[in-house]
Amino acid sequence: MTRSYGATATSPGERFTDSQFLVLMNRVLALLVAGLCCILCKQPRHGAPMYRYSFASLSNVLSSWCQYEALKFVSFPTQVLAKASKVIPVMLMGKLVSRRSYEHWEYLTAGLISIGVSMFLLSSGPEPRSSPATTLSGLILLAGYIAFDSFTSNWQDALFAYKMSSVQMMFGVNFFSCLFTVGSLLEQGALLEGTRFMGRHSEFAAHALLLSVCSACGQLFIFYTIGQFGAAVFTIIMTLRQAFAILLSCLLYGHTVTVVGGLGVAVVFAALLLRVYARGRLKQRGKKAVPVESPVQKV
């Protein structure tokens, strides 16, 4: 979307501007990949009602809309703090959606991770000059983004109670996502225009296909992680991903890390070590609590 296609010596070319069409391509390819996996690989018997997937798809669409709209009304630090503090809202939403309970140390480590990532991101990324001032509308949209995003992963986590596989989940969610996206594009009259642009520029079609392949592969890992470890762990991984991306950028391009940023990284790693230690202690207690059966005397 930032490059020109079809540029010549006499023409500057044209840019593709409809991000929703790219989202549709991502979801269509993810639907095809999930369907192919379901056909080729043996899957457990599907018992979830299909309509239940629509809730996760709709909340995902709404969270994306709130996120992009909020960028027009909030400052850069507010964006960073909102994205880094999603872990605790996801845990609270888990109590509402799936009645999942969390230990006190889990809330503590989640809070420390959010604080550490916020410190690192704010110190490593200077506020853009074009960043708008934070308004009430922006805060409401950010709250909607966090709420809908927290609901999406927890609802998907709850759906795994039907003993489905991650690719079955991926197929159901992307099926409804395709329906919602196609409906939106048809309502705006943008579906045909995006198709025509792809027909005019084969290079754009190749780039969009590569983007969709990466997105589909990413979804395989996303749904597997939610199914195996739950929504809270998945959100922690996604939060840490931002910090690791900036840290990798600093290492590759020689950017400096400030003292506050280094302290933030230390807080994050301390929280992760505390989380691992607490889980290890719980497992040891669980093993000790298992009663040893006394031998039964035969009569």
Side-chain angles (χ1 to χ4, degrees):
M1 296 181 70
T2 59
R3 61 174 298 167
S4 297
Y5 290 95
T8 61
T10 57
S11 173
E14 56 181 337
R15 290 187 177 185
F16 189 76
T17 58
D18 192 352
S19 59
Q20 200 170 27
F21 186 83
L22 293 178
V23 172
L24 175 63
M25 288 193 63
N26 293 349
R27 288 168 178 169
V28 167
L29 188 66
L31 180 70
L32 293 176
V33 169
L36 192 62
C37 290
C38 289
I39 293 172
L40 297 179
C41 304
K42 187 177 180 180
Q43 304 294 327
R45 184 176 179 179
H46 186 265
M50 281 299 294
Y51 75 90
R52 293 181 70 87
Y53 292 104
S54 64
F55 297 109
S57 298
L58 182 59
S59 63
N60 188 24
V61 170
L62 291 173
S63 69
S64 299
W65 181 84
C66 288
Q67 178 185 9
Y68 295 135
E69 284 297 310
L71 297 180
K72 303 175 184 177
F73 305 103
V74 296
S75 64
F76 175 75
T78 308
Q79 298 170 32
V80 170
L81 293 174
K83 290 185 176 182
S85 61
K86 285 195 304 181
V87 183
I88 292 181
V90 166
M91 296 170 71
L92 295 175
M93 186 66 73
K95 295 176 70 70
L96 295 175
V97 174
S98 54
R99 300 290 188 266
R100 176 168 293 194
S101 60
Y102 296 96
E103 301 288 340
H104 294 297
W105 59 266
E106 291 182 283
Y107 287 107
L108 174 62
T109 54
L112 289 174
I113 289 173
S114 297
I115 292 171
V117 171
S118 299
M119 291 170 61
F120 180 74
L121 295 181
L122 289 174
S123 65
S124 302
E127 182 174 355
R129 293 181 180 179
S130 59
S131 177
T134 300
T135 63
L136 180 60
S137 300
L139 293 177
I140 293 174
L141 287 168
L142 273 182
Y145 156 65
I146 292 174
F148 286 125
D149 193 65
S150 301
F151 176 84
T152 300
S153 55
N154 276 292
W155 187 262
Q156 291 167 352
D157 190 12
L159 278 178
F160 277 109
Y162 287 96
K163 306 300 180 184
M164 68 183 70
S165 68
S166 57
V167 291
Q168 287 174 325
M169 169 74 75
M170 181 175 168
F171 182 87
V173 172
N174 280 285
F175 175 76
F176 282 99
S177 296
C178 288
L179 292 181
F180 291 140
T181 311
V182 167
S184 176
L185 287 170
L186 287 175
E187 190 272 333
Q188 299 173 22
L191 185 60
L192 287 178
E193 182 57 36
T195 307
R196 292 193 190 103
F197 190 95
M198 187 182 298
R200 291 194 301 269
H201 306 289
S202 58
E203 188 182 12
F204 165 78
H207 290 166
L209 179 62
L210 179 61
L211 175 68
S212 300
V213 169
C214 294
S215 175
C217 293
Q219 284 196 37
L220 289 172
F221 288 100
I222 286 172
F223 287 111
Y224 180 81
T225 303
I226 294 175
Q228 293 294 317
F229 305 103
V233 173
F234 167 71
T235 306
I236 289 175
I237 293 173
M238 297 301 287
T239 302
L240 293 175
R241 177 181 63 91
Q242 302 176 60
F244 281 123
I246 293 182
L247 188 60
L248 184 62
S249 175
C250 293
L251 294 175
L252 290 176
Y253 300 108
H255 299 156
T256 58
V257 179
T258 64
V259 176
V260 176
L263 184 60
V265 172
V267 170
V268 168
F269 280 105
L272 291 175
L273 290 174
L274 178 60
R275 194 176 184 87
V276 172
Y277 172 76
R279 282 191 179 277
R281 289 294 299 271
L282 281 180
K283 287 182 180 180
Q284 288 181 354
R285 290 180 183 177
K287 291 180 181 179
K288 291 179 181 179
V290 176
V292 180
E293 295 183 2
S294 57
V296 180
Q297 185 178 4
K298 293 183 179 181
V299 178

